[in-house]
Amino acid sequence: MSSNFSSALSSAHVRHHDEVNTPSAPPSKRLNMMEEEDVLSNPRGPHRRRFTYVRVSNITFAIPEGYDVDEGNIEDLGGGAFGNVVKISAEGRDGMRRWLAIKKMREPFSDVFNARRNFREIKLLQLMRHDNIICALDIYTPDEKNDFRDVYIVTEFAGRSLYRILKQQRDYGRRVLTEEHIKFIIYQIIRAIKYIHSANIIHRDLKPGNIALTDNNDLMILDFGLSRSLEKKDTSLTQYVQTRWYRSPEVIYWKCDSYTNLADMWSVGCIAAELLTGHPLFPAENSDEQYQKITQLCGSPDEELLQKIEKDNSSGMRAVIQSYPSHERRYFRKVFADHHPSDDFIDLIEKLLVLDPEKRITVEEAIQHPYLADFSLPDDEPRADHIMDLDDSQQRTRSEYRDAIWKEIVDFKRLDSSPIVPGETNL
């Protein structure tokens, strides 16, 4: 790589690195079976908007007037446990036409867990304002309050998921992410987490599937449904919050109710190692296997950590931890030697994948690590300007969360980049 190329990378703004191009994952199959009504509905919902109802892969989407619903202009992006997503375009209030992602939440009020999760996501997508973090451009429902069932969140289309890109590499046996791409991806992840943690928020679900990448290698952190604020009033956290392969050992076992945002940094270490090797670092079928894979690489807890585990939990918890086979920490340089990483890359991964979270590198330390020096722009690595309170610590019923989400939709403040609502004049 030429020195001029490297210089251009380090000096450009983080959202406009046109010099770094990475092939996106294979395009999603365009819809070839799409049914839609010929006419718009009568005005509906809290803001009296009109909708076209479009069926995409057996899921009916209510698309607001003003969005482009011409045949062939809607792409199915797939779905998961919490919703289905389509890609569509619309003109923004700023006059720019952009690609959007519309997420239809799946049974958003089916139980308190789902209702609370969706409330958190809606709150954070309005509070977060950062180049590498997705934000809400529109939140709507076609329902009336007395029959409120469906919730839609609209964001800018952020590109293909890192999961898809890594899977493409494995499926085709060809690397598309170069060393420079990987470094820039890790930098942007850490840059985003710096902002998130400074707002006293823990993401709790960092994984390749929740990271999106454009063809220009610009990155967005997605999906804040499992995020929590770290105020002292949050007295209980859950261990079942992260996809197991990216879950930190303290989350699995010994700090189930009191872990900190350093759990996110472990996840970054897992993602960084996967970017290097092309394969997940700790794939496992269950938590026991997961823990053993972790200790086989990172070593078993030492006496100092065992004492902390016993103090925070019980002698029984210490006994459980000690019942597993004991392992010495392996030499990371040797483990990853076949992938020819730089010394700085290995050093960063070693500092991220530390069993004791109190000794794990923080996001503030990570963003200053020599491995990321080519991209570091301290004046363009913002912190949040306030602590973000999600207002979800109180025990609410499913019905109360439903009312709270309705209020969020009613009170939603549109951005300049939000799609135009026909007839609006408050530009």
Side-chain angles (χ1 to χ4, degrees):
M1 183 179 65
S2 71
S3 59
N4 290 338
F5 181 62
S6 178
S7 176
L9 286 174
S10 63
S11 62
H13 188 276
V14 70
R15 291 285 292 148
H16 298 285
H17 282 258
D18 295 334
E19 299 92 335
V20 183
N21 295 308
T22 181
S24 63
S28 298
K29 185 178 181 181
R30 281 281 174 182
L31 301 175
N32 52 20
M33 294 192 62
M34 183 173 71
E35 306 166 10
E36 60 181 80
E37 293 184 355
D38 293 333
V39 295
L40 288 160
S41 70
N42 292 324
R44 298 181 52 82
H47 298 294
R48 317 313 299 165
R49 297 169 75 172
R50 300 201 300 167
F51 299 88
T52 298
Y53 290 86
V54 179
R55 195 158 180 81
V56 181
S57 297
N58 296 319
I59 304 293
T60 299
F61 282 78
I63 309 296
E65 183 180 10
Y67 288 61
D68 299 328
V69 293
D70 295 337
E71 186 174 356
N73 195 45
I74 303 178
E75 183 178 342
D76 181 17
L77 296 180
F82 299 107
N84 294 79
V85 185
V86 295
K87 177 182 175 184
I88 193 169
S89 65
E91 183 178 347
R93 302 167 79 226
D94 56 6
M96 290 184 59
R97 185 167 297 278
R98 51 177 57 84
W99 287 106
L100 307 171
I102 301 179
K103 176 180 179 181
K104 181 180 183 179
M105 292 180 165
R106 179 168 296 152
E107 299 182 352
F109 313 117
S110 60
D111 54 42
V112 172
F113 171 80
N114 268 349
R116 188 181 193 186
R117 181 190 191 283
N118 293 328
F119 176 75
R120 288 172 180 165
E121 183 168 12
I122 287 170
K123 290 284 286 187
L124 278 174
L125 288 176
Q126 295 175 84
L127 292 170
M128 297 282 184
R129 293 292 181 266
H130 188 279
D131 291 334
N132 297 122
I133 300 173
I134 206 73
C135 71
L137 300 183
D138 199 0
I139 304 175
Y140 66 86
T141 180
D143 301 331
E144 305 299 335
K145 189 172 184 180
N146 61 357
D147 191 30
F148 180 31
R149 293 173 296 176
D150 291 331
V151 179
Y152 295 82
I153 298 178
V154 182
T155 63
E156 186 172 352
F157 174 66
R160 303 296 170 186
S161 76
L162 187 56
Y163 168 82
R164 283 193 180 190
I165 296 171
L166 290 168
K167 186 175 185 300
Q168 179 194 22
Q169 289 190 157
R170 293 192 292 270
D171 289 348
Y172 290 91
R174 180 175 63 87
R175 291 191 68 92
V176 296
L177 297 175
T178 68
E179 180 181 350
E180 205 67 17
H181 292 142
I182 291 170
K183 186 183 297 187
F184 188 42
I185 290 168
I186 294 171
Y187 169 73
Q188 290 179 94
I189 294 171
I190 291 174
R191 182 177 183 265
I193 295 173
K194 176 182 175 179
Y195 177 90
I196 295 168
H197 287 183
S198 71
N200 220 26
I201 298 292
I202 176 173
H203 187 282
R204 303 205 303 170
D205 198 23
L206 290 169
K207 58 186 180 182
N210 284 341
I211 296 169
L213 211 59
T214 70
D215 289 346
N216 290 331
N217 214 33
D218 288 331
L219 178 144
M220 285 277 193
I221 302 289
L222 315 175
D223 198 341
F224 285 84
L226 294 180
S227 299
R228 285 290 295 274
S229 56
L230 289 172
E231 298 292 336
K232 291 182 179 179
K233 60 189 176 185
D234 289 330
T235 57
S236 179
L237 300 172
T238 172
Q239 63 178 333
Y240 301 106
V241 294
Q242 293 170 291
T243 301
R244 185 188 302 116
W245 296 355
Y246 305 90
R247 187 182 300 162
S248 66
E250 71 269 20
V251 172
I252 298 175
Y253 281 107
W254 56 79
K255 278 187 179 261
C256 299
D257 291 328
S258 60
Y259 55 86
T260 71
N261 55 24
L262 287 164
D264 282 345
M265 302 309 293
W266 177 276
S267 301
V268 176
C270 294
I271 294 167
E274 186 170 345
L275 286 166
L276 174 64
T277 67
H279 296 273
L281 185 60
F282 299 122
E285 294 297 324
N286 55 60
S287 294
D288 285 346
E289 183 185 356
Q290 182 75 41
Y291 180 73
Q292 292 187 68
K293 282 182 177 287
I294 288 171
T295 55
Q296 285 166 8
L297 175 64
C298 301
S300 300
D302 59 17
E303 179 59 29
E304 181 182 358
L305 181 53
L306 286 170
Q307 289 181 10
K308 293 177 183 178
I309 292 169
E310 184 173 358
K311 180 180 178 181
D312 291 344
N313 298 273
S314 65
S315 57
M317 177 61 75
R318 174 173 176 151
V320 169
I321 299 298
Q322 290 184 295
S323 70
Y324 286 96
S326 180
H327 299 282
E328 294 293 327
R329 186 177 177 91
R330 296 183 65 190
Y331 182 48
F332 279 33
R333 163 56 67 184
K334 184 175 181 180
V335 170
F336 297 107
D338 290 346
H339 304 282
H340 311 291
S342 68
D343 290 341
D344 284 338
F345 194 4
I346 289 296
D347 185 70
L348 177 60
I349 294 177
E350 284 185 324
K351 287 179 166 64
L352 289 164
L353 296 177
V354 174
L355 260 63
D356 187 343
E358 294 179 7
K359 297 181 179 180
R360 197 175 299 150
I361 193 171
T362 67
V363 70
E364 295 283 0
E365 294 166 338
I367 205 166
Q368 299 176 50
H369 193 276
Y371 174 69
L372 304 175
D374 287 347
F375 296 106
S376 179
L377 294 171
D379 292 337
D380 192 27
E381 295 165 354
R383 297 171 56 87
D385 58 10
H386 65 285
I387 300 300
M388 296 179 186
D389 183 1
L390 300 188
D391 188 29
D392 71 339
S393 59
Q394 60 180 302
Q395 293 298 317
R396 286 175 169 157
T397 66
R398 182 168 59 97
S399 178
E400 287 171 336
Y401 272 118
R402 181 174 173 270
D403 290 343
I405 290 175
W406 177 269
K407 186 176 187 302
E408 291 297 320
I409 294 174
V410 170
D411 295 341
F412 179 70
K413 292 181 173 55
R414 300 168 62 71
L415 306 177
D416 287 345
S417 51
S418 294
I420 291 174
V421 173
E424 75 173 349
T425 58
N426 58 329
L427 291 176

